[in-house]
Amino acid sequence: MCGIAGIFHLDVPKPVDPERVGAMADTLAHRGPDGSGVWTAPGVGLGHRRLAIIDLEGGIQPMLSPDQRSVITFNGEIYNYHEVRDELETKGHQFLTAGDTETILTAYREWGPDCLSRLNGMFAFAIYDARSDSLFLARDRLGVKPLFYAELGDGTLLFASELKALLVHPRFRPEISPQAVEDYLAYGYVPDDASILEGVRKLPAGSYLHLRRGQSLPRPVTWWDIDFTSRSTARAADLQEELVERLRAAVRSRMVADVPLAAFLSGGVDSSAVVAFMAEASKQAIRTCSIGFDQTDHDETRYAAEIAERFATDHRTRTVDSDDFGLIDTLAGAFDEPFADASALATYRVCELARERVKVALSGDGADEAFAGYRRYRMFMAEEGVRGHMPQGLRTGIGRLGAAFPKLDWAPRPFRAKTTLQAIGKSSGEAYAEAVGTTSPAIRSMLYGEDFRRALAGHRAEDRYVKLMADAPALDALGRAQYADLKIWLPGDILTKVDRTSMAVSLEAREPLLDHRLVEFAAKLPPRLRLRRGQGKYLLKKSLEGRLPRDILHRPKQGFVTPVSEWLRGPLAAEAAAIPQGSALSTLGWFDPAAIARLADDHRRGRSDHGRLLWQLLMLERSLRRLTAPAAPHHTQPRRNKVRLAAR
């Protein structure tokens, strides 16, 4: 796991200053504290920060091909690199190192962009090929590893693992995107097809860019996508057996490392399944780590301890104070873009705990999206059943009834019908878009000033989900919702959270449940084997019977819960009250300060619960403060290797 950065001049091969590339790479030192390198040639420069996991001595980057005509900078891990290397050796290729970096470089020289389909792993990499004077940028199928890029006015292309590396370039001028702010307030994160800064893009998951000198910046090419249109006709028992084998293979492939590794263990189904298969594959006790909370209603450590005892793991637990909000500035610095998923605090702490003993940790992320584990899928399909049996006119009337229905957050769940009634009156895409959102269009509109509404130019955050679900390669509503989550929610929220918090402490996180073969298998399952009688991840749980205790398999999903509402009425109440006058937000002039002040006051006095929205605004303020601050002088760190391409 590493950090990468680089510069490519699209128009002419102007000189590239190695110190400038080094300065970009050195902002990513947390991603790679074990080594660094810079490589330059006319019109191109690549930088690298290394976290040494495989081939500790031989994997120094940027890495040149034996003829010095191609060079790579790579972030990630290729789990099947031995198999790819064997195939390349049969074609006459020889290798000087023992790791996966040289394998990717050689595969690209042999197959070009088609090499991507042979790679099983998480990755973002850049390869410069002097033979064609071109730069190839690629990202893994599901977007586990990030890659930002921006074109400057003079035809200079910048790219990096994190946004902060672009900011140090002296000709990069950060300007906040109003559309991205709208997206962030709707979802709590900036989606993967957007950026908080104008002119910056993220290379989409499963895509590549092929840049050629003398040509304009092309559009990304999609090289992989998930397909929900092919449905398996195999017997459920056979599918269950196949799933076990796929789980076993996915976990074992991610245990390959030349350094110690561990697993995050929450005590939920997914992390417990990963631990079960790790224990099966290991001759030694595997290391596990959990975070507990000092509030018992938020604490899951007893379930994690049960799994740790069952599989005799070397288990460590750390209890986090419920008032652990001191990480706000740390997280703002780690994420760059505003990020309001408050579970990032707990994720950071569990990464911090793991890093005390290991450099690699396996997580259980991805199964909820692939196997339909979220409660919202159950609610959505129940609403979809009602929508399918009602004429549009009646549904519209029910939606109006929902709008007039009081919002009873304090009442028992059966009496909180407002959201459900409103959802029934909407189309499937509209209803699901609002279900996954954090702040409704009506509330957002109340916060916006006229200048901001004009700046949005008709952009509406929900349209992203509506369009993607309408165009999804899926046969049913459940597949359309899962497809949209795999494309938007997973890379934008879940994978961003894990990548930034783990890399902030120089820890590599691996997600075996996002093995693309496992995700493709799940997409082919009939809906009744994903969601059955209100139970999500049905086949996954069936396949784990006998391996995991029943109380683990069937207890209600809990997840990390952070008491932000309590914080914003207590120790962070002053922070909430100051949001309307926050320097970054007020400078933009996009929000109605009086509306924000009313929200903060109503929340503090207990009249309403606006904790999530206030937390979003607080994290937005902290992010904007960093993004728009004048760049401090950057002092480069010593680099282990500086190389230049042979004259051509």
Side-chain angles (χ1 to χ4, degrees):
M1 194 64 59
C2 308
I4 65 174
I7 298 173
F8 184 76
H9 292 301
L10 287 162
D11 298 333
V12 295
K14 295 179 289 186
V16 173
D17 182 0
E19 293 301 318
R20 184 165 292 173
V21 178
M24 293 173 64
D26 285 343
T27 65
L28 308 173
H30 52 285
R31 300 185 75 94
D34 296 334
S36 57
V38 169
W39 167 90
T40 60
V44 61
L46 305 181
H48 190 263
R49 294 291 316 203
R50 188 183 188 207
L51 181 65
I53 303 295
I54 291 176
D55 191 16
L56 304 185
E57 297 300 322
I60 296 172
Q61 296 186 52
M63 181 180 289
L64 275 74
S65 60
D67 65 0
Q68 297 194 344
R69 305 294 284 171
S70 303
V71 61
I72 183 173
T73 184
F74 159 54
N75 168 29
E77 300 289 351
I78 305 301
Y79 305 119
N80 67 331
Y81 77 93
H82 285 295
E83 293 91 329
V84 178
R85 177 184 290 248
D86 289 345
E87 184 178 359
L88 289 166
E89 286 177 336
T90 64
K91 294 180 176 293
H93 293 281
Q94 296 180 337
F95 292 88
L96 302 177
T97 65
D100 51 357
T101 305
E102 189 181 7
T103 303
I104 299 172
L105 183 58
T106 307
Y108 178 76
R109 288 168 62 85
E110 176 67 31
W111 296 302
D114 290 342
C115 72
L116 296 171
S117 63
R118 290 174 159 85
L119 305 179
N120 178 14
M122 55 179 184
F123 54 82
F125 63 79
I127 295 177
Y128 175 71
D129 190 346
R131 299 170 300 179
S132 58
D133 197 15
S134 65
L135 183 72
F136 184 73
L137 303 175
R139 192 175 178 203
D140 64 67
R141 293 170 178 83
L142 288 152
V144 178
K145 293 292 102 188
L147 190 61
F148 292 78
Y149 66 99
E151 183 182 7
L152 304 182
D154 64 352
T156 300
L157 191 286
L158 311 176
F159 69 88
S161 297
E162 295 180 16
L163 187 56
K164 58 174 61 68
L166 307 185
L167 294 173
V168 302
H169 193 284
R171 286 200 289 272
F172 183 82
R173 297 289 182 268
E175 183 178 339
I176 306 302
S177 164
Q179 289 78 17
V181 171
E182 153 79 355
D183 294 338
Y184 165 74
L185 289 175
Y187 299 117
Y189 57 91
V190 178
D192 211 43
D193 62 347
S195 169
I196 193 64
L197 296 181
E198 295 278 12
V200 177
R201 306 174 197 174
K202 300 164 191 161
L203 185 61
S207 298
Y208 69 77
L209 271 177
H210 204 167
L211 312 172
R212 294 174 174 82
R213 190 91 64 197
Q215 298 182 16
S216 60
L217 180 66
R219 294 177 63 86
V221 176
T222 300
W223 66 270
W224 182 87
D225 200 2
I226 188 67
D227 184 4
F228 283 84
T229 63
S230 177
R231 191 164 292 169
S232 174
T233 58
R235 295 186 313 125
D238 294 335
L239 290 171
Q240 187 173 317
E241 290 182 10
E242 183 179 353
L243 176 53
V244 169
E245 289 306 312
R246 289 185 179 276
L247 288 168
R248 179 178 288 120
V251 171
R252 291 191 178 208
S253 69
R254 282 152 180 81
M255 294 177 67
V256 176
D258 294 334
V259 295
L261 51 80
F264 301 142
L265 179 57
S266 69
V269 173
D270 307 333
S271 65
S272 298
V274 170
V275 167
F277 285 104
M278 287 180 72
E280 176 186 276
S282 179
K283 295 179 180 178
Q284 300 175 334
I286 63 170
R287 293 168 170 163
T288 54
C289 49
S290 301
I291 288 294
F293 296 91
D294 61 358
Q295 292 186 1
T296 56
D297 55 341
H298 294 161
D299 189 68
E300 294 185 285
T301 53
R302 63 188 183 279
Y303 300 109
E306 181 181 354
I307 294 298
E309 182 178 1
R310 184 182 183 94
F311 296 104
T313 73
D314 179 1
H315 188 60
R316 295 180 72 206
T317 299
R318 180 166 295 160
T319 300
V320 176
D321 193 312
S322 59
D323 285 342
D324 187 31
F325 50 80
L327 285 176
I328 292 176
D329 286 323
T330 299
L331 293 180
F335 283 86
D336 295 329
E337 295 189 301
F339 190 82
D341 184 341
S343 67
L345 285 89
T347 307
Y348 180 92
R349 289 302 187 200
V350 77
C351 291
E352 194 176 47
L353 177 61
R355 188 61 178 89
E356 291 176 1
R357 296 200 297 172
V358 302
K359 295 174 76 170
V360 179
L362 274 62
S363 83
D365 294 301
D368 286 312
E369 292 81 7
F371 290 91
Y374 291 122
R375 177 179 173 271
R376 63 174 178 255
Y377 294 133
R378 174 165 61 87
M379 301 296 293
F380 171 66
M381 291 307 291
E383 294 164 1
E384 191 73 358
V386 175
R387 277 191 287 267
H389 290 86
M390 281 188 179
Q392 179 62 51
L394 181 55
R395 285 172 45 208
T396 301
I398 290 176
R400 289 173 182 160
L401 175 63
F405 199 87
K407 199 171 189 299
L408 305 175
D409 292 337
W410 49 268
R413 190 171 297 279
F415 296 100
R416 287 183 273 169
K418 183 179 181 70
T419 302
T420 300
L421 293 174
Q422 288 179 305
I424 289 170
K426 295 182 173 70
S427 68
S428 298
E430 288 282 355
Y432 194 71
E434 291 200 26
V436 299
T438 58
T439 307
S440 71
I443 295 294
R444 299 200 306 272
S445 180
M446 181 185 71
L447 299 176
Y448 298 161
E450 286 303 318
D451 288 347
F452 187 68
R453 292 191 183 92
R454 283 193 292 271
L456 287 177
H459 176 78
R460 194 178 69 111
E462 285 76 15
D463 290 340
R464 176 180 284 100
Y465 259 95
V466 172
K467 185 178 188 310
L468 203 59
M469 289 180 68
D471 298 338
L475 299 175
D476 54 78
L478 179 60
R480 288 192 290 274
Q482 287 183 258
Y483 178 82
D485 277 345
L486 285 163
K487 304 293 283 189
I488 301 172
W489 161 266
L490 180 70
D493 186 295
I494 303 300
L495 295 179
T496 295
K497 176 178 64 179
V498 176
D499 176 79
R500 303 304 191 276
T501 54
S502 61
M503 287 282 87
V505 297
S506 306
L507 176 76
E508 176 175 301
R510 299 178 177 180
E511 291 84 8
L513 302 184
L514 283 177
D515 187 297
H516 72 276
R517 297 164 300 183
L518 189 59
V519 174
E520 290 169 345
F521 169 84
K524 291 179 171 61
L525 293 176
R528 61 183 173 80
L529 295 183
R530 284 177 266 144
L531 179 65
R532 186 167 182 170
R533 290 194 288 271
Q535 179 183 349
K537 296 188 287 197
Y538 176 78
L539 189 70
L540 178 63
K541 292 179 179 179
K542 288 290 291 183
S543 71
L544 296 171
E545 289 179 351
R547 281 185 170 81
L548 299 181
R550 183 173 180 81
D551 64 327
I552 297 293
L553 286 173
H554 299 291
R555 72 182 179 88
K557 184 176 176 60
Q558 188 169 341
F560 287 138
V561 180
T562 308
V564 294
S565 289
E566 291 88 338
W567 292 350
L568 290 161
R569 287 194 180 103
L572 293 182
E575 295 266 11
I579 290 172
Q581 287 75 44
S583 58
L585 285 180
S586 59
T587 299
L588 285 175
W590 288 346
F591 298 95
D592 181 348
I596 298 176
R598 285 193 299 272
L599 289 175
D601 188 60
D602 286 348
H603 182 79
R604 182 177 61 83
R605 295 176 183 275
R607 296 173 185 148
S608 303
D609 187 351
H610 298 301
R612 178 181 283 184
L613 176 55
L614 291 170
W615 179 260
Q616 282 183 260
L617 291 169
L618 178 60
M619 296 307 292
L620 176 61
E621 163 66 23
R622 296 298 175 92
S623 176
L624 297 185
R625 192 184 300 174
R626 289 174 171 273
L627 291 170
T628 58
H634 188 85
H635 303 285
T636 58
Q637 301 178 18
R639 274 173 286 285
R640 181 184 294 172
N641 56 305
K642 293 186 180 182
V643 291
R644 292 181 180 272
L645 192 65
R648 58 178 190 274

